Amino acid sequence: MPYNKKLTIGLFGFGTVGEGIYKVLQQTPTLQASIKKIAIKHAHKVRQAPAKLFTTNPNDLLNDPDINVIVELIDDADASFAIVSTALKNGKAVVSANKKMIAHHLPTLLELQAQYQVPFLYEAAVCGSIPIIRNLEEYYDNDLLNSVTGIVNGSTNFILTQMIEGGLSYETALLQAQELGFAESNPALDVEGKDAVNKLSIILHHAYGVAVHPDQILHKGITRLHPQDTRYATEKGYQIKLLAKAKRIGEQELKAFVLPSFVDANSQFYNVKNEYNGVLIGSKLADEQFLYGKGAGRYPTSSAVLSDIAALRYDYRYEHKKTYGGTTYALNEHSQVRIYVSYNRNEIVETNDFVAIEETYQSHERSYLVGIIELDKLKNAYWLEQEGVSVVSLDEIKLSQTALSPTLNNTALAPTVLA
Amino acid sequence: MPYNKKLTIGLFGFGTVGEGIYKVLQQTPTLQASIKKIAIKHAHKVRQAPAKLFTTNPNDLLNDPDINVIVELIDDADASFAIVSTALKNGKAVVSANKKMIAHHLPTLLELQAQYQVPFLYEAAVCGSIPIIRNLEEYYDNDLLNSVTGIVNGSTNFILTQMIEGGLSYETALLQAQELGFAESNPALDVEGKDAVNKLSIILHHAYGVAVHPDQILHKGITRLHPQDTRYATEKGYQIKLLAKAKRIGEQELKAFVLPSFVDANSQFYNVKNEYNGVLIGSKLADEQFLYGKGAGRYPTSSAVLSDIAALRYDYRYEHKKTYGGTTYALNEHSQVRIYVSYNRNEIVETNDFVAIEETYQSHERSYLVGIIELDKLKNAYWLEQEGVSVVSLDEIKLSQTALSPTLNNTALAPTVLA
């Protein structure tokens, strides 16, 4: 039978999300959750809450025996890990939204949960308020789950939407996103695909029970996208989306990557625009479900954090079923992906790295090719280091009937091919 | 710690869904679930499974101590109730997809679960594979849940899409849906909103912990929609959707109904077309999530049934938390809804039933009005019995700035107003 545990919360961070949660908890006494203390960095900011709630000493929260829940909403991943691991060791339930921290410390965090038997929830870490972790953990059995693919980063999706629909260059779209508050002043984590791959790492854990460090997963961002790429997309009727993808291949292997990806109008992702996120769940029975919502920002993040807090009243915890039981999966780094690569005339693409080249287009201005490549080859490709080379996945596009024969040639496509 | 319970299944029904489940379970030994016996009505049909599996005697399943799971996939709600209640009494876990049976027997089914302490899962009963019940039960705390609104019936959505986009009359669109297999030969349950209100009743239970018999909830179907209504929609840029809606008003009251509803292009429902379903979750923090997928048919239903079966390996059960704890909600039948009513010149609309009339339009061909009415007044309106009168909710349309003053007049709008 369910029960209503009374929650006494120690909150780390009082930014927009922290403040929103403080207010909702005040307005919703039925949640039986109150904030006893709030740890902040800078003591002297003006804040919309009684001064006696605040402290700059983390131990005032971590060592308070009254506090049974730590809600951690700070940016710094290292500080976050220190707080969360101490809280778990001290027997306190933890709610966090720090995807980088979680993705980088999954095995340790699992051990801590197993050892200290306290709940550690983090729905807000992946796709904000879309309850993807809870559904992967509870509803989608890994043996029935064919794939999980998502637009998991709102900033890059905003930029990509402006590039395709507004015809903006990457640089201009980024500036606009920053001015409108949809991208950080230091956007590196987002635009280089680091944020997306952190989330993919967490998805892989809850979808298939694997713990893969984000650095091990192929991930490319959107910084290299060239106006030719958006023109190509527009001509073909595609959008470009930064997709994080996990797909079962065979019985025990997974293909996983984060890549800018062409999607056509048949794709659920086609209409996921601006700051929105979307996750497509493919099941063994070929039916697909799509979950859509805002992935970041004050309300979506607060909403997910509050759902986690509410669940703690019933002592809900992730059981990590797929880690501790059932089929064992591993990444297959030799799995293949169809990609489009565009490059300038002074740059080369090592076609020997490809399993097959399906199309080549060369011009003085900008050339491209379409081919199939293994993920590890793409991950380690030296030629991707050249400044002008961009790569976009065609994995979501159904192969056209007019595709060329498997291999056109097998040598580096050098600029000298053109006069 | 999770464990993998071995499931021995007794299956009732071997239509397309039952057959699909049989096949997937055979192909997925990791699920540790096998079908021991299948109860069918007609012994002599040719079936794609060994003959020894089949029986026409329900007791061969219900009384077999080896069988620990009953999967019930038959149409007949009365037979379904008999099977499910016997199975629960015999200590067997049950998976069902029969929304009518569940909605009509909720209190009894709750008692049986409490008494015999066995899981009874029915994700497939609402929106096919969209995991709405699981999410309402586990993720969305009722005190944070402002509303749950859904297109929950694929047949009517297919018909409505054809009416608006193809300009078909209701009758033609229905025929087409039947020919394409998107509507039953006897479509009454669907088109009269009975199926949708059954699902709304189940949603209300898992969202807010109330058990309301479907007959108590205002529900109108799509059979009365007139070409004038679809013209009106087209002129305004609306779609018409049969929406099932549950909305919190105040702290402990709910507004709930099933009505054909205008939705504009800002609505998530606008692009839910043909046989698709979609559910919009509104949370206290004003963030919205949208879940989208196919609501019925072989694969979506099978997919949901399989997820329930998989969950039984971990002995998952609905805890009905919102019924047994937290805030108590009740339907408020005096809550108001803005509606559009269209009618022929020989018919009257009792405007005294309305709180306010906001617009009236009269012509020889077809007249309409827009007004605000209490749900119970609408439920009991005698004038809605006239054959030509149709009603469409405007609850999803944001009030325009040019709306007329609250009340135009307060007398029955009789055809005599026109010369």
Side-chain angles (χ1 to χ4, degrees):
Chain A
M1 275 301 107
Y3 57 101
N4 264 351
K5 194 170 181 169
K6 186 161 167 11
L7 307 178
T8 305
I9 295 173
L11 175 65
F12 281 85
F14 200 70
T16 52
V17 176
E19 191 182 329
I21 285 170
Y22 169 72
K23 281 186 186 160
V24 172
L25 292 182
Q26 276 201 313
Q27 292 159 8
T28 319
T30 47
L31 285 178
Q32 305 226 62
S34 61
I35 294 176
K36 183 176 178 190
K37 211 82 194 171
I38 303 170
I40 39 144
K41 231 192 213 164
H42 305 289
H44 301 298
K45 267 190 205 164
V46 177
R47 294 182 172 94
Q48 302 298 318
K52 67 176 168 47
L53 279 176
F54 295 96
T55 174
T56 53
N57 182 357
N59 291 327
D60 290 351
L61 285 63
L62 295 168
N63 294 334
D64 183 336
D66 278 359
I67 289 175
N68 54 8
V69 177
I70 294 292
V71 176
E72 179 279 304
L73 299 170
I74 64 176
D75 278 340
D76 180 334
D78 294 331
S80 161
F81 179 65
I83 291 163
V84 170
S85 48
T86 306
L88 295 172
K89 284 176 192 163
N90 291 358
K92 299 183 193 310
V94 176
V95 175
S96 169
N98 199 314
K99 51 257 178 182
K100 184 178 170 191
M101 182 278 286
I102 298 161
H104 284 247
H105 296 283
L106 256 180
T108 314
L109 292 167
L110 280 171
E111 276 169 36
L112 286 169
Q113 287 166 84
Q115 192 176 348
Y116 296 96
Q117 292 290 316
V118 275
F120 173 42
L121 306 181
Y122 41 83
E123 188 59 75
V126 183
C127 294
S129 58
I130 304 175
I132 181 64
I133 296 178
R134 201 75 77 86
N135 275 289
L136 291 174
E137 185 65 25
E138 302 297 331
Y139 185 67
Y140 297 107
D141 190 89
N142 52 358
D143 292 323
L144 301 172
L145 194 61
N146 275 352
S147 61
V148 184
T149 313
I151 294 174
V152 298
N153 181 279
S155 305
T156 49
N157 202 48
F158 184 89
I159 294 167
L160 290 169
T161 305
Q162 297 307 313
M163 286 171 70
I164 296 281
E165 308 218 323
L168 303 184
S169 69
Y170 165 71
E171 290 76 13
T172 313
L174 171 60
L175 279 175
Q176 187 184 312
Q178 287 170 323
E179 278 166 19
L180 293 170
F182 289 117
E184 308 284 336
S185 52
N186 177 2
L189 264 180
D190 293 325
V191 297
E192 288 168 9
K194 301 282 178 199
D195 178 74
V197 77
N198 286 335
K199 290 165 176 168
L200 180 58
S201 163
I202 298 173
I203 286 174
L204 279 164
H205 170 65
H206 290 279
Y208 295 105
V210 296
V212 189
H213 193 281
D215 292 347
Q216 286 181 261
I217 305 169
L218 168 68
H219 58 280
K220 303 289 173 192
I222 64 167
T223 58
R224 299 283 192 78
L225 290 176
H226 186 273
Q228 159 65 21
D229 306 337
T230 52
R231 268 199 301 277
Y232 180 92
T234 305
E235 283 171 19
K236 304 270 183 185
Y238 299 159
Q239 295 267 348
I240 303 177
K241 300 293 175 188
L242 185 66
L243 293 187
K245 183 164 182 168
K247 188 177 163 63
R248 200 164 55 122
I249 45 175
E251 287 305 307
Q252 299 194 289
E253 293 186 338
L254 301 170
K255 169 176 168 180
F257 60 79
V258 171
L259 284 175
S261 305
F262 292 122
V263 299
D264 63 22
N266 294 318
S267 165
Q268 291 293 339
F269 296 116
Y270 191 85
N271 286 313
V272 177
K273 293 186 181 170
N274 294 315
E275 74 273 28
Y276 282 84
N277 282 193
V279 182
L280 189 69
I281 309 271
S283 87
K284 184 156 185 167
L285 279 166
D287 182 52
E288 290 187 337
Q289 288 114 61
F290 191 62
L291 287 71
Y292 176 87
K294 282 189 186 163
R298 175 173 196 166
Y299 293 120
T301 307
S302 304
S303 164
V305 169
L306 277 165
S307 290
D308 280 351
I309 292 174
L312 288 175
R313 290 185 299 151
Y314 305 98
D315 218 27
Y316 174 75
R317 58 194 68 201
Y318 305 144
E319 292 188 10
H320 305 282
K321 296 186 191 79
K322 297 169 181 180
T323 297
Y324 296 120
T327 304
T328 305
Y329 286 89
L331 292 201
N332 179 340
E333 302 203 326
H334 299 297
S335 58
Q336 299 177 354
V337 61
R338 173 173 286 105
I339 57 170
Y340 153 106
V341 182
S342 81
Y343 52 99
N344 296 321
R345 62 174 310 197
N346 61 334
E347 295 169 323
I348 58 161
V349 176
E350 182 52 75
T351 56
N352 279 320
D353 278 356
F354 285 72
V355 177
I357 302 290
E358 296 181 334
E359 295 178 46
T360 66
Y361 168 83
Q362 293 180 308
S363 86
H364 291 288
E365 201 199 333
R366 185 82 175 170
S367 300
Y368 71 80
L369 63 81
V370 170
I372 293 173
I373 192 168
E374 293 185 354
L375 293 184
D376 57 345
K377 283 274 167 57
L378 185 58
K379 197 176 163 202
N380 301 315
Y382 72 88
W383 43 268
L384 265 182
E385 304 303 313
Q386 300 164 99
E387 208 183 309
V389 178
S390 77
V391 58
V392 185
S393 160
L394 281 156
D395 218 44
E396 299 298 303
I397 305 292
K398 298 265 180 302
L399 192 56
S400 101
Q401 295 302 314
T402 57
L404 302 181
S405 61
T407 300
L408 280 182
N409 60 47
N410 211 19
T411 55
L413 294 175
T416 50
V417 174
L418 289 172
Chain B
M1 273 301 107
Y3 57 100
N4 264 350
K5 194 170 182 170
K6 193 168 165 356
L7 306 178
T8 305
I9 295 172
L11 175 66
F12 281 83
F14 200 70
T16 53
V17 176
E19 191 183 331
I21 285 170
Y22 169 73
K23 281 186 186 161
V24 172
L25 292 182
Q26 276 201 313
Q27 291 159 9
T28 318
T30 48
L31 285 179
Q32 305 225 60
S34 61
I35 293 175
K36 186 177 177 188
K37 212 80 193 171
I38 303 170
I40 41 148
K41 231 192 214 164
H42 305 290
H44 301 297
K45 267 192 206 164
V46 176
R47 294 184 172 93
Q48 301 298 319
K52 66 176 168 47
L53 279 177
F54 295 95
T55 174
T56 53
N57 182 358
N59 292 326
D60 289 351
L61 285 63
L62 295 168
N63 295 333
D64 183 335
D66 278 358
I67 289 176
N68 53 8
V69 177
I70 294 293
V71 176
E72 179 278 306
L73 300 169
I74 63 175
D75 278 339
D76 181 332
D78 294 331
S80 161
F81 179 66
I83 291 164
V84 169
S85 49
T86 307
L88 294 172
K89 285 175 194 164
N90 290 359
K92 300 185 192 307
V94 176
V95 175
S96 170
N98 199 314
K99 51 256 176 184
K100 184 179 171 191
M101 182 278 287
I102 297 161
H104 285 247
H105 297 282
L106 256 179
T108 314
L109 291 168
L110 278 171
E111 275 169 36
L112 286 168
Q113 288 167 82
Q115 191 177 350
Y116 297 96
Q117 292 289 314
V118 275
F120 172 42
L121 306 180
Y122 41 83
E123 189 60 74
V126 183
C127 295
S129 59
I130 301 176
I132 181 64
I133 296 178
R134 200 75 78 87
N135 275 289
L136 291 174
E137 185 64 27
E138 302 297 332
Y139 185 68
Y140 297 108
D141 190 89
N142 52 359
D143 291 323
L144 301 172
L145 195 62
N146 274 352
S147 61
V148 183
T149 314
I151 294 173
V152 299
N153 180 278
S155 305
T156 48
N157 203 48
F158 184 89
I159 293 167
L160 290 169
T161 305
Q162 297 306 313
M163 286 171 70
I164 297 280
E165 308 219 322
L168 303 184
S169 70
Y170 165 72
E171 291 75 14
T172 314
L174 171 61
L175 278 175
Q176 187 184 312
Q178 287 171 322
E179 278 167 18
L180 293 170
F182 289 116
E184 308 285 335
S185 52
N186 177 2
L189 263 182
D190 293 326
V191 297
E192 288 169 8
K194 302 280 180 202
D195 179 74
V197 78
N198 286 335
K199 290 167 178 167
L200 180 59
S201 161
I202 299 173
I203 286 174
L204 279 165
H205 170 66
H206 289 281
Y208 296 104
V210 296
V212 189
H213 193 282
D215 291 348
Q216 287 181 258
I217 305 169
L218 168 69
H219 59 281
K220 302 289 172 192
I222 64 168
T223 56
R224 300 282 192 79
L225 290 176
H226 186 273
Q228 158 66 21
D229 307 335
T230 52
R231 268 198 303 277
Y232 180 90
T234 305
E235 283 170 18
K236 303 270 184 186
Y238 299 159
Q239 295 267 348
I240 303 177
K241 301 294 175 188
L242 186 65
L243 293 186
K245 183 163 181 168
K247 187 175 164 64
R248 199 164 57 123
I249 45 174
E251 287 305 308
Q252 300 194 290
E253 294 186 338
L254 301 170
K255 169 176 169 179
F257 60 79
V258 171
L259 285 175
S261 306
F262 292 122
V263 299
D264 63 21
N266 294 318
S267 164
Q268 292 292 339
F269 296 116
Y270 191 85
N271 286 311
V272 176
K273 293 185 180 170
N274 294 317
E275 75 272 30
Y276 282 85
N277 282 194
V279 182
L280 190 68
I281 309 271
S283 86
K284 182 154 186 169
L285 279 166
D287 183 52
E288 289 188 338
Q289 287 114 63
F290 190 63
L291 287 71
Y292 175 86
K294 282 189 187 163
R298 175 174 196 165
Y299 293 120
T301 306
S302 304
S303 166
V305 170
L306 278 165
S307 289
D308 280 351
I309 292 174
L312 289 176
R313 290 186 299 149
Y314 305 98
D315 217 26
Y316 174 75
R317 59 194 67 201
Y318 305 143
E319 292 188 11
H320 306 281
K321 295 186 192 80
K322 297 168 183 179
T323 297
Y324 295 120
T327 305
T328 305
Y329 288 89
L331 291 202
N332 179 340
E333 302 202 327
H334 299 298
S335 57
Q336 300 177 353
V337 62
R338 173 173 285 107
I339 57 171
Y340 153 109
V341 182
S342 82
Y343 52 100
N344 296 321
R345 61 175 311 195
N346 60 335
E347 294 169 326
I348 57 158
V349 176
E350 182 51 76
T351 56
N352 280 320
D353 278 355
F354 285 72
V355 177
I357 301 290
E358 298 182 332
E359 295 177 46
T360 65
Y361 167 85
Q362 293 181 307
S363 85
H364 291 288
E365 200 197 335
R366 184 84 174 168
S367 302
Y368 71 81
L369 63 82
V370 170
I372 294 174
I373 191 168
E374 292 185 356
L375 294 184
D376 57 346
K377 283 274 169 56
L378 185 58
K379 198 176 161 201
N380 301 315
Y382 72 89
W383 43 269
L384 265 182
E385 304 303 314
Q386 299 163 99
E387 207 183 311
V389 178
S390 77
V391 58
V392 185
S393 159
L394 280 156
D395 217 43
E396 299 297 304
I397 305 292
K398 298 265 180 303
L399 191 56
S400 100
Q401 294 303 312
T402 57
L404 302 182
S405 62
T407 301
L408 281 181
N409 61 47
N410 211 20
T411 55
L413 294 175
T416 50
V417 174
L418 287 173

